[in-house]
Amino acid sequence: MINFKEEVEKRKEQLIQDIETLCAIPSVYNEKTIGENQPYGSECRQALDAMLAIGKRDGFVVHDENGYAGHIDIGDQEESFGILGHLDVVPVDSRGWDSDPFKVVQANGKLYGRGVADDKGPLLAGYYAAKIIHDLDLPVKKKIRVIFGCDEERGSSCVEHYFTKNPYPSMGFTPDAEFPVVYGEKGIVRFHITGNVKKDGLIAMVAGDRVNIVPGECEAIIEGNHKQYEESFKQFLSDHHVTGIIEEEGNCTKLVLKGKSAHASLPEEGINAVSLLATYLDTVINNKLVHFIATYLNDYYGKGLQINHEGLMGKLTMNLGVVKYVKEDADIELDLRCPHEIDLKEMCDGVKELCQSLGLNLESDIHEPLYIDPNSELVQKLHKAYVEVSGDTESQPQAIGGGTYAKSMPNCVAFGCEFKDEDNAIHGNNENIKIDSLLKSTEIFAKAIYDLIKE
Ligand SMILES: [Zn+2]
């Protein structure tokens, strides 16, 4: 039996030191310093150089893809197993931190610093796992290619570019999410609906500024004296257990309805203020936009549009995130998370046809889903290593509504590093990772990779 735990322990200090080195570089996208071989600015370039230097120091062959991404090859076999991580980080609000975000601090058994958990720490955990397999000279069929991009946080243009110049590994994982293992990510579709809609009682309607958030408040101005709406509006609010405001606005009426915000991947956890206010307005005015929202966009699962579907990854969800109606110009944005069984192009064509028949225009933006058979060798073996090391036999491989790096490469899933019941404050203040968890992740990775590539 190979004692991976002991091997990880031996390399603990070096691993932490390397995390300190990478996290000292504020590798946030920086438009001002974009240049040759540094498409995301000088700090991302520095982080890439630092990672390549780690690989060189340890005697491995490294590759720089013109500053977009790079890789370290561990082994020299033809076929490769990929570990896909990223070196860029999101900006910090240093007022909210208890320490310098770009100087790793150890306290309470944790490392604190921007990037310790997203994603420099997990990337290095993957690298050290690969290095252990190499150092022990274990018999393997594939080399391990550790790939790192510099633009994950803004949408992964880095690895998109990288994979136009480099082959895909035959399989792999991205340590940029959570355990146990994410085998499915719903497809993401964005709808942008626009059109000129006659006033017919509605002066303005505004809500939301981000399509991926359930709008928690919606405001509308309608024609007519507020007194005539007061009773019915208050009754409506009370019937739906929400609050709101009705008041005079010039010789018109202003209505505000307060719902509840939530993330677009789980819209049922919120209360969409737009669709609810539209439902009320549809009973008192005869405006086409209001009627459109109240009829077709009035649920979290696309039932009104007749695109609802429940698949292996769960339900299609729909969020009406942004509405702007001013001077008879309508502008609506929706965010849909779609199980992999749906033909997204066909779905978009259907909705476009419906919009056109109502005099509205629809543009759609499609991001295909990720789905790896949960019974595949890849998912099964990753999960097995997780269970063996963590002792957690309850958590099962899962499908999520969000999007990770795993979508950038075929036969790739998201695997670690956040453990359940731990909050690494990813993207937040005082981002942190437990040193024990980091070592455990490294052990899980080494075990899992070896199980997948051994001879
Ligand atoms: Zn990340």
Side-chain angles (χ1 to χ4, degrees), residues 158-395:
C158 48
V159 284
E160 252 168 55
H161 176 82
Y162 171 89
F163 283 123
T164 63
K165 310 272 177 185
N166 298 273
Y168 290 118
S170 60
M171 61 166 71
F173 68 83
T174 174
D176 192 21
E178 57 203 54
F179 286 120
V181 46
V182 178
Y183 68 87
E185 296 171 20
K186 289 179 185 170
I188 302 179
V189 174
R190 301 257 159 94
F191 285 154
H192 190 187
I193 300 171
T194 51
N196 194 271
V197 178
K198 269 200 11 216
K199 197 159 65 171
D200 292 325
L202 183 69
I203 314 276
M205 186 166 181
V206 183
D209 46 25
R210 284 173 60 188
V211 70
N212 59 350
I213 303 287
V214 176
E217 187 172 309
C218 180
E219 187 179 309
I221 297 171
I222 56 177
E223 285 176 339
N225 188 286
H226 68 287
K227 285 196 181 118
Q228 60 180 298
Y229 304 116
E230 214 153 58
E231 201 188 311
S232 61
F233 187 58
K234 285 187 174 155
Q235 186 60 48
F236 182 86
L237 294 177
S238 122
D239 288 348
H240 291 86
H241 312 286
V242 289
T243 59
I245 300 164
I246 176 161
E247 61 191 24
E248 201 174 347
E249 171 98 7
N251 38 24
C252 296
T253 300
K254 179 166 118 178
L255 301 165
V256 178
L257 187 140
K258 291 183 181 171
K260 188 179 157 211
S261 261
H263 192 264
S265 60
L266 297 164
E268 64 275 25
E269 290 187 356
I271 298 172
N272 195 309
V274 180
S275 39
L276 208 48
L277 185 55
T279 304
Y280 169 73
L281 293 175
D282 203 31
T283 64
V284 292
I285 58 173
N286 199 0
N287 171 283
K288 265 192 182 161
L289 179 73
V290 161
H291 188 65
F292 175 68
I293 296 172
T295 311
Y296 296 103
L297 311 180
N298 193 11
D299 70 282
Y300 301 121
Y301 306 111
K303 287 183 195 150
L305 289 172
Q306 293 185 5
I307 53 172
N308 53 311
H309 175 84
E310 183 162 1
L312 288 170
M313 280 195 253
K315 287 181 173 151
L316 174 147
T317 62
M318 182 180 86
N319 178 49
L320 169 53
V322 182
V323 168
K324 245 182 256 148
Y325 177 74
V326 200
K327 294 192 178 141
E328 301 199 333
D329 259 329
D331 203 307
I332 300 178
E333 290 177 53
L334 295 127
D335 176 306
L336 296 94
R337 308 288 163 120
C338 311
H340 72 287
E341 296 91 346
I342 299 173
D343 181 333
L344 298 180
K345 172 89 177 46
E346 201 180 291
M347 178 186 86
C348 292
D349 288 347
V351 178
K352 191 178 174 107
E353 223 170 88
L354 169 78
C355 288
Q356 278 170 343
S357 73
L358 299 166
L360 296 166
N361 179 44
L362 176 124
E363 272 172 50
S364 47
D365 184 21
I366 298 177
H367 297 267
E368 293 292 339
L370 165 88
Y371 180 80
I372 307 283
D373 182 352
N375 295 313
S376 62
E377 186 194 16
L378 176 64
V379 175
Q380 288 296 317
K381 289 195 169 166
L382 294 179
H383 185 237
K384 182 167 157 258
Y386 165 76
V387 173
E388 281 172 12
V389 175
S390 69
D392 170 17
T393 52
E394 265 163 43
S395 313

